[in-house]
Amino acid sequence: MTVPEVCLVAPPWSRRALSRLGVSMRDGVPPPVNAPTYDAVVLWYDEIATAVNEAVRSCAWRRLLGDRAVEARFTSRAKTVDTLTQKLVRHPAMPLADVQDIAGVRFEAEMTIAEQDLVVDEMVRLFEPCVAAVKDLREDAHSGYRAVHLWLRPPAGRVEVQVRTHVQAHAKGVS
């Protein structure tokens, strides 16, 4: 399995144009003419998230998790305009092009911490040329999420993949 082809295509706008959209979202004003629309951006990132989700889903997880792989949950989404705007307001110096989780994928399964590490290792191999970082947030939750996060940076745009156990998903304060 390789990185999905859709992830290897650069977006039809520049980083600067995407950042102009982010400034307009943060400031609550209409985007300038030379910026993409939020609808175009969300459709783009939703397609990337869907492709990454399909790549993750197609792996042979039974090899690592046995029959529990059948119960694994695979979800993907692009951030909503409200949550993305809130993030830009909380981090006013952050350009929209640097938001890591506009496209998000989650893999959740009944597994031990050791098995979770094996799943993360498999995903790193799967997306190797695009893996920018692996963030272990199991001990110190971020925004309520205890998980291991893979930050992918393919040419199409940033994607965050969360790998969570059922216990991490259902821990107090985690949605």
Side-chain angles (χ1 to χ4, degrees):
M1 173 72 43
T2 60
V3 176
E5 196 171 309
V6 70
C7 294
L8 301 176
V9 177
W13 50 76
S14 67
R15 275 184 59 86
R16 178 173 275 166
L18 189 58
S19 291
R20 284 192 292 266
L21 172 63
V23 168
S24 69
M25 291 171 67
R26 183 195 68 215
D27 295 345
V29 299
V33 175
N34 56 357
T37 65
Y38 175 76
D39 288 344
V41 170
V42 79
L43 285 172
W44 181 266
Y45 279 94
D46 194 51
E47 188 173 333
I48 296 167
T50 299
V52 169
N53 187 22
E54 288 172 3
V56 169
R57 183 183 296 264
S58 69
C59 287
W61 297 115
R62 268 186 195 255
R63 184 173 45 82
L64 298 177
L65 303 175
D67 289 339
R68 290 169 292 139
V70 174
E71 300 296 322
R73 291 186 43 209
F74 304 88
T75 57
S76 63
R77 58 92 185 119
K79 269 198 178 310
T80 66
V81 68
D82 291 337
T83 57
L84 190 51
T85 300
Q86 290 168 8
K87 187 168 208 164
L88 293 169
V89 168
R90 281 193 316 271
H91 306 283
M94 179 186 295
L96 180 55
D98 289 347
V99 173
Q100 182 58 51
D101 62 344
I102 296 175
V105 174
R106 184 176 294 156
F107 173 91
E108 181 186 312
E110 182 183 327
M111 59 186 153
T112 65
I113 296 297
E115 289 169 328
Q116 185 180 27
D117 289 340
L118 293 173
V119 167
V120 169
D121 291 345
E122 186 68 21
M123 287 189 192
V124 167
R125 279 190 290 283
L126 174 65
F127 297 111
E128 184 177 10
C130 299
V131 175
V134 176
K135 303 287 185 176
D136 188 340
L137 302 176
R138 293 179 284 198
E139 291 298 319
D140 297 316
H142 174 72
S143 299
Y145 291 104
R146 291 193 187 278
V148 178
H149 295 224
L150 279 78
W151 286 1
L152 308 180
R153 292 191 184 151
R158 297 171 184 233
V159 182
E160 181 177 88
V161 180
Q162 293 181 12
V163 180
R164 299 192 332 179
T165 68
H166 281 327
V167 171
Q168 291 162 350
H170 295 64
K172 184 178 179 182
V174 177
S175 58

